[in-house]
Amino acid sequence: MNGTRSPSPLPGRSIDIELSGQEIITVDLENLDASPDDLLDLLKESQSQVWVWTKLATEYWRRGYLDAAEKLAQGAVEFFRSNGSTSSLPPIYSLLANIQLAHARKAPKIIWKDARQDDMRKEKIREDFYRESAQYLNRGEKAATDAGEGVGSTLGFLTRAILQLSSGDMENALRSFDGVLAEKPTNVVALLGKARILYARRQYQQSLRHFQDVLRYNPNCVPDPRVGIGLCLWAMDQKGKAKVAWERSIEVNPSQWPAQLLLGLEAINSSKNENQTEDERRDDFLRGTRLIEKAFNANQKNSAAANALCELFLRKGQRKRALKLAERTIQFADTLTVLTDGHIRAGRVLHEDGSITDSVKHYTAAKTGQPSNMLATIGLAQVQLKNDEIAAAIHTLDSLLQPPNSNRAVEPTVMLASLRAHSRPGVSSSDQAQEKLRARELFERVSKALSLPEQTHVSLNGHAHSLTRTQRKISEDVHVHTEIARLWYDEDLGRVDRALQEALRISESTGKVDPRLLNNLGVLQYFDSRFDQARVLYERALTDATGLDTAVGENMSTSILYNLARAYEAQGEDTMAKDAYDKLLSRHPEYVDAKIRQAHMLTDINRHNEAHDLLKQSLASQANNLNLRASYVHFLIQSNLHKPAKDFVFGTLKDHDKHDVYSLCAAGWIQYHQARESRDGSPKGLEERKRGFQRSAEFYEKALQFDPMCVIAAQGLAIVTAEDALGSLGGSLGPLAPDEPQRRIKNAREALDVFAKVRESLDDGSVYSNMGHCYYASDEYDRAVESYETASRKFYHGHNVPVLLCLCRSWYAKANKDQSFVAMNTALRYAQNAFYLQPGDKAIMYNIAMIEQKAAEMLLSISPAKRTLKDLQRAIEQAAHAQKLFQSLAKDKSPMVPYSRDLADQRRKYGDSVLRRCDEHLATQKQYEAETQSKLEGARRRRQEEKAAQEALEQERLQELAKKAAELAEVRKKAREEALEWSQRHAESDEEKEKEKKKKPRGRARTEATGSADEGEPRKKRRGGKLKKEVDAGEEEAALFSGEEEDSKPAAKKRTKKRVVRDDDEEEEAGGPRRKQIKSREYISDSDEEMA
């Protein structure tokens, strides 16, 4: 059905043609002339019947002379028409229809006008042959109708069914085949056609049954049903059996190409199996290549063979031959899948050749035919990127991943994520932020699909995740991991670290480590305060960078050397850091970042003038560098040069960038600081302070407009809110309102909410300090102390004086509230620590004197029961020390002091009055503690006496118990002796009884055996009673000698044992007198009851 030759001829390889003159000419069918002209004249002259015409035409067809067969058939039509024998034409028309179908199988389905290597523009397309075939069939049916023969011949039905099947009309083709099979169920042509239709409908089991029927009816059938059997088995996942069927087909029909092509494709696929050895895979590939080439040589118009062979030439780099085969595939493709593959491969060849326009045509055609085809989409996106059409490439990939396609393949996903992650010209910042968000979502999907280390939770269910070769290449691509790291840099440093570590692992496995990768890993370690590891990575990166090309290596070395200097600086290696900065500046004198760090190091050692000169030099060369200007503002503020800092910040906002967030925040802080520190109490001064606070808030609000995530601006506004700077500032800017306490607490709560959110983004000591201020304003001193101590320990290591003074203030307030001398001493300790760090600060000295005096005042004001003599003496000593401090402070002749001299003198005078009362309080405290001590001694003595009395009573009780125990032991000893004596007598009586039994005559024994039931019953009981008595005796002996009972118990509890003894007594009376045992038993029972 899909071959180019007719079915096998009937037996007999010659035919006799009779001429009018009684002459017979024999035509040898095995030696037909390629030209049918002579034979055509012979048939016309002989007036041959129609079967002779059709037989000879069919023989020409079978031998491959399709044009000769068609010429004979056309001659037959002309001959019978001229003779008026139209009734003979239907078979010839059916033959012509089949010949057109045979032509159609060799014809292209479409003509690709832009074909470069396989030009088919002069060829007729397949549809034209189908149309001519249909016309011949219609003529045949008309001729049959005119002749009155009807149109229901088997040949006509089969030919029309084959035409319908070839043109894709499956329903009508199946109906036609079923019509033939209804009349003749063994018609192999109809069975083959129906099997093909069932296979196309994926009804593989039914299709397999029909192919097997064809093989059973005609084992030599061509086309070979074994090919169809193998296809069905392959589709049913019985690949081994399918391969056997195809191999058998080649054995039976070595010249048929379908089985060769299928086995070649199977071998090529098998060569991709990574479970095989390299030699096995190479052998499979070579075998598959040979089979595919053989199949293509057998039928060069077959699209499947051309498609497979095209891929092989693509791998070999033979692009011209690959392009010709791709164009052959496109023009002869029978299915949409093969057509799409042809366009994709043609697009690949043209893409490699640089013919981007033609490549786009092929990729577009492939994607139009199959919108969900991944290779077509990726190929089109690649050529769009080649044309710098990034937006179009993103749209192309997006159309594959979005509904209705919703392809979840990793390859296009990672490509689209990479495109979205990179900024593009003409895209606004908000749109770019959305693009990065989508890129993160896509990379998240890729990470889950490939189980990349960037995933926080990777579940492999106990085994390695199965990945294809392409997916493994993606997971081992360094650029994928570095892009993930770059994309999550502002979101999740943990993921960034995992991505870079994986990229480093892959790079080390290939032996090519990018110094930039090591540098970025070092930066992450630096941010995580692991300076030693950062230093190692920087040094390694610097070493690798020096081995690169001069220009590239120099650019890398500059940044890496700066980072290495920062690591030295963080480790406290100031000399090494300075050397690194100097080396960097010797190479690049205008590297301002290095100068900024040098200025910072000089500031730390109080060499402000040199630092100032360095910053001025940097500004002279790069006045527009906003980072440099920000560093200079910071330096001026740290140096308490607030007026120059204000002028410089306003100059930055005015002349350089009015939207610079850092400058806006700095301006807000300077305005707030100046307004807060202003001491001008005049109406104009108060108004100026209010205006300063308002401008500070305005600057912070403006900074938040440009950067809503700016925590510094948010914290500044929270400080303004907490201190009521826009209100009365706690009475500093006007009279206090009646609801001032409630308002203060409300403001503190609002500020706390802001600080809590700021703390999530900014892990800095200032946040905790500000939270402590809010708690202090709300009179929550414990929580204030907790916040201040967190800031001091975690961030400042106990060396930040303002935080230490805040701790001092909080403990001082807590001490006054709780009247706690311990808390007051804690406040004093923090003040002393602050004074140690700033020895010349007289405000701290004043606070120390105040705390010492207040501690003494507090202890003198409380009752003796709430204080100790030791604490009082210490407080008095501190008060005396405070007097000296107040005296020196009051006499200080400095022009400016941070306190009031008059107030210091008043505190000194008040301290004198406090000290005059100290002797009285000391005497009172001593008397109180002496009385208390006396009471304690008396109570202690009484407790000791009571304890001694209790111990004596306990001793007497223990002696009494010991005495009773000794008496009880003596009783038990006597009982054991009597029990032993009784046991011996009992054994002697048993021996005597046995002797008496042996002396009795046999007659008496018989008399006793035949006696009355009354006499026999006691005899049985005696035997049983004896056994039980022995058991009871053993139990009694065990009870006597156990020694477990300490006290005797009432005898009523052992009545069960007494009843057993009575039974034994009765038994003894029936058997003979044993009075001694009865008496002995009575005594033992009493002893046993005592033991119980």
Side-chain angles (χ1 to χ4, degrees), residues 11-258:
R13 304 309 303 152
S14 65
I15 186 171
D16 295 335
I17 299 175
E18 183 179 354
L19 296 177
S20 58
Q22 301 297 322
E23 182 181 357
I24 297 176
I25 298 176
T26 300
V27 179
D28 186 2
L29 299 180
E30 295 293 339
N31 296 304
L32 289 175
D33 190 5
S35 176
D37 294 338
D38 295 340
L39 193 58
L40 182 61
D41 295 337
L42 177 63
L43 291 174
K44 289 179 180 179
E45 183 181 352
S46 64
Q47 301 288 319
S48 297
Q49 296 180 5
V50 66
W51 70 269
V52 178
W53 290 83
T54 56
K55 184 176 181 63
L56 287 171
T58 303
E59 188 63 25
Y60 267 106
W61 181 9
R62 187 185 70 83
R63 297 179 66 83
Y65 302 136
L66 198 57
D67 292 335
E70 184 178 5
K71 190 173 183 179
L72 273 177
Q74 292 287 0
V77 172
E78 293 175 2
F79 173 75
F80 286 109
R81 274 184 178 175
S82 63
N83 292 339
S85 301
T86 56
S87 60
S88 301
L89 290 177
I92 299 177
Y93 280 129
S94 295
L95 176 61
L96 282 171
N98 279 288
I99 290 174
Q100 297 306 313
L101 290 176
H103 279 303
R105 296 186 190 101
K106 294 183 178 182
K109 188 171 184 178
I110 62 172
I111 301 296
W112 186 255
K113 296 180 180 179
D114 297 325
R116 297 186 177 188
Q117 301 293 330
D118 195 35
D119 190 356
M120 291 280 177
R121 284 176 291 182
K122 295 181 180 180
E123 301 289 335
K124 288 174 62 175
I125 63 173
R126 195 174 299 171
E127 191 62 34
D128 294 340
F129 290 106
Y130 289 154
R131 186 167 53 253
E132 292 178 3
S133 177
Q135 290 174 357
Y136 283 127
L137 284 175
N138 292 335
R139 291 173 188 173
E141 290 177 358
K142 185 177 181 301
T145 303
D146 294 341
E149 297 178 0
V151 295
S153 68
T154 301
L155 179 60
F157 266 114
L158 287 175
T159 304
R160 186 166 294 278
I162 294 170
L163 173 62
Q164 291 166 343
L165 177 61
S166 300
S167 58
D169 188 2
M170 297 290 184
E171 291 292 337
N172 289 325
L174 182 61
R175 195 177 297 113
S176 300
F177 286 130
D178 284 338
V180 174
L181 292 173
E183 295 182 3
K184 189 176 182 181
T186 60
N187 188 291
V188 293
V189 177
L191 287 171
L192 281 172
K194 186 173 183 179
R196 285 188 57 182
I197 294 172
L198 293 173
Y199 178 83
R201 292 182 173 181
R202 302 178 186 275
Q203 299 176 12
Y204 304 119
Q205 191 66 46
Q206 297 89 324
S207 177
L208 175 63
R209 188 170 63 252
H210 283 77
F211 279 124
Q212 289 172 338
D213 290 341
V214 173
L215 183 62
R216 185 169 62 254
Y217 297 147
N218 186 4
N220 297 318
C221 176
V222 177
D224 194 346
R226 297 176 184 85
V227 175
I229 291 173
L231 288 172
C232 294
L233 291 171
W234 187 277
M236 295 165 64
D237 200 25
Q238 300 180 29
K239 295 181 171 57
K241 293 181 179 179
K243 187 176 177 182
V244 171
W246 294 331
E247 290 173 346
R248 176 59 181 163
S249 176
I250 291 179
E251 292 177 6
V252 176
N253 300 296
S255 61
Q256 294 294 312
W257 59 267

Side-chain angles (χ1 to χ4, degrees), residues 455-719:
Q455 282 293 104
T456 305
H457 302 289
V458 179
S459 176
L460 299 180
N461 297 325
H463 58 275
H465 192 60
S466 178
L467 300 178
T468 64
R469 182 169 57 182
T470 305
Q471 290 175 340
R472 280 198 303 274
K473 287 184 178 180
I474 293 175
S475 64
E476 295 292 326
D477 190 344
V478 174
H479 297 289
V480 171
H481 298 284
T482 54
E483 284 190 355
I484 291 175
R486 186 183 299 110
L487 200 57
W488 261 275
Y489 180 76
D490 296 327
E491 302 291 332
D492 186 353
L493 288 181
R495 173 170 287 196
V496 173
D497 183 57
R498 291 193 297 273
L500 293 180
Q501 291 287 357
E502 181 66 10
L504 179 61
R505 182 192 67 79
I506 297 170
S507 300
E508 289 176 341
S509 65
T510 60
K512 298 179 181 179
V513 180
D514 193 330
R516 293 174 296 181
L517 183 58
L518 296 169
N519 182 47
N520 289 331
L521 277 170
V523 171
L524 290 179
Q525 301 299 325
Y526 182 90
F527 285 162
D528 206 19
S529 300
R530 295 196 287 264
F531 305 120
D532 293 338
Q533 299 179 24
R535 174 178 173 177
V536 171
L537 289 168
Y538 289 145
E539 290 174 345
R540 180 182 170 189
L542 190 61
T543 303
D544 293 346
T546 55
L548 299 177
D549 180 72
T550 305
V552 177
E554 179 62 25
N555 292 335
M556 290 185 185
S557 300
T558 301
S559 298
I560 297 171
L561 182 59
Y562 174 79
N563 291 338
L564 180 59
R566 291 294 302 270
Y568 289 150
E569 191 178 343
Q571 288 182 308
E573 301 285 351
D574 293 341
T575 303
M576 297 181 68
K578 183 179 181 303
D579 293 341
Y581 288 133
D582 290 339
K583 184 177 181 180
L584 185 58
L585 289 172
S586 66
R587 296 180 184 176
H588 305 281
E590 301 305 322
Y591 199 94
V592 296
D593 290 334
K595 291 184 178 180
I596 291 172
R597 294 312 306 171
Q598 283 188 332
H600 180 76
M601 293 174 65
L602 291 171
T603 303
D604 288 343
I605 57 177
N606 293 324
R607 295 167 63 180
H608 295 279
N609 293 334
E610 297 178 38
H612 202 172
D613 293 338
L614 274 176
L615 292 174
K616 285 182 178 180
Q617 292 175 12
S618 301
L619 285 170
S621 61
Q622 297 186 20
N624 295 325
N625 189 323
L626 293 179
N627 288 332
L628 176 58
R629 299 184 72 86
S631 300
Y632 187 60
V633 171
H634 176 75
F635 169 78
L636 293 175
I637 292 175
Q638 291 295 106
S639 301
N640 291 323
L641 301 173
H642 297 106
K643 183 64 171 62
K646 178 180 177 181
D647 297 338
F648 191 82
V649 166
F650 284 0
T652 301
L653 294 173
K654 179 181 178 181
D655 301 329
H656 297 278
D657 187 0
K658 62 180 179 180
H659 299 153
D660 183 42
V661 175
Y662 183 89
S663 298
L664 289 170
C665 292
W669 185 90
I670 293 172
Q671 288 287 344
Y672 182 83
H673 178 76
Q674 289 184 345
R676 194 174 190 279
E677 297 300 321
S678 176
R679 295 294 181 263
D680 190 353
S682 64
K684 183 179 180 180
L686 293 178
E687 187 65 27
E688 188 65 28
R689 291 186 72 187
K690 286 184 178 180
R691 192 178 300 111
F693 286 130
Q694 291 173 354
R695 294 195 66 185
S696 173
E698 290 171 359
F699 278 121
Y700 285 134
E701 288 177 352
K702 196 171 183 180
L704 286 173
Q705 289 177 5
F706 297 121
D707 185 6
M709 304 302 293
C710 180
V711 293
I712 302 299
Q715 189 169 218
L717 277 179
I719 293 172

Side-chain angles (χ1 to χ4, degrees), residues 219-419:
N220 297 318
C221 176
V222 177
D224 194 346
R226 297 176 184 85
V227 175
I229 291 173
L231 288 172
C232 294
L233 291 171
W234 187 277
M236 295 165 64
D237 200 25
Q238 300 180 29
K239 295 181 171 57
K241 293 181 179 179
K243 187 176 177 182
V244 171
W246 294 331
E247 290 173 346
R248 176 59 181 163
S249 176
I250 291 179
E251 292 177 6
V252 176
N253 300 296
S255 61
Q256 294 294 312
W257 59 267
Q260 295 172 350
L261 175 61
L262 292 170
L263 283 173
L265 294 175
E266 187 276 334
I268 292 294
N269 290 331
S270 179
S271 68
K272 300 175 183 178
N273 185 1
E274 297 182 355
N275 294 327
Q276 293 182 338
T277 64
E278 192 66 29
D279 293 338
E280 292 174 340
R281 293 171 62 183
R282 184 178 61 255
D283 293 341
D284 286 341
F285 182 80
L286 294 176
R287 178 167 54 86
T289 302
R290 287 195 297 268
L291 287 171
I292 292 174
E293 288 179 347
K294 191 174 181 180
F296 181 75
N297 292 330
N299 181 11
Q300 296 187 358
K301 301 298 179 66
N302 181 265
S303 59
N307 186 38
L309 200 58
C310 175
E311 178 65 25
L312 299 178
F313 283 119
L314 267 175
R315 293 186 181 184
K316 294 179 180 179
Q318 301 178 14
R319 291 199 289 269
K320 286 187 177 181
R321 299 186 66 180
L323 181 59
K324 183 175 182 178
L325 290 169
E327 291 172 348
R328 179 67 56 88
T329 302
I330 294 169
Q331 296 177 112
F332 286 86
D334 294 310
T335 62
L336 180 59
T337 302
V338 176
L339 176 63
T340 303
D341 286 348
H343 279 298
I344 291 173
R345 289 188 168 89
R348 288 172 57 189
V349 174
L350 294 170
H351 189 183
E352 290 182 14
D353 282 340
S355 302
I356 303 300
T357 303
D358 291 340
S359 177
V360 169
K361 292 180 182 178
H362 283 287
Y363 284 134
T364 303
K367 185 167 175 59
T368 302
Q370 287 186 327
S372 61
N373 188 283
M374 180 183 68
L375 293 178
T377 303
I378 292 177
L380 181 57
Q382 286 178 336
V383 293
Q384 287 170 339
L385 290 174
K386 189 77 172 178
N387 289 333
D388 203 20
E389 300 172 355
I390 301 177
I394 291 176
H395 175 73
T396 299
L397 293 170
D398 217 11
S399 65
L400 177 67
L401 301 178
Q402 298 298 328
N405 297 321
S406 297
N407 192 313
R408 294 291 178 176
V410 173
E411 294 85 349
T413 305
V414 73
M415 185 176 178
L416 179 59
S418 179
L419 291 176

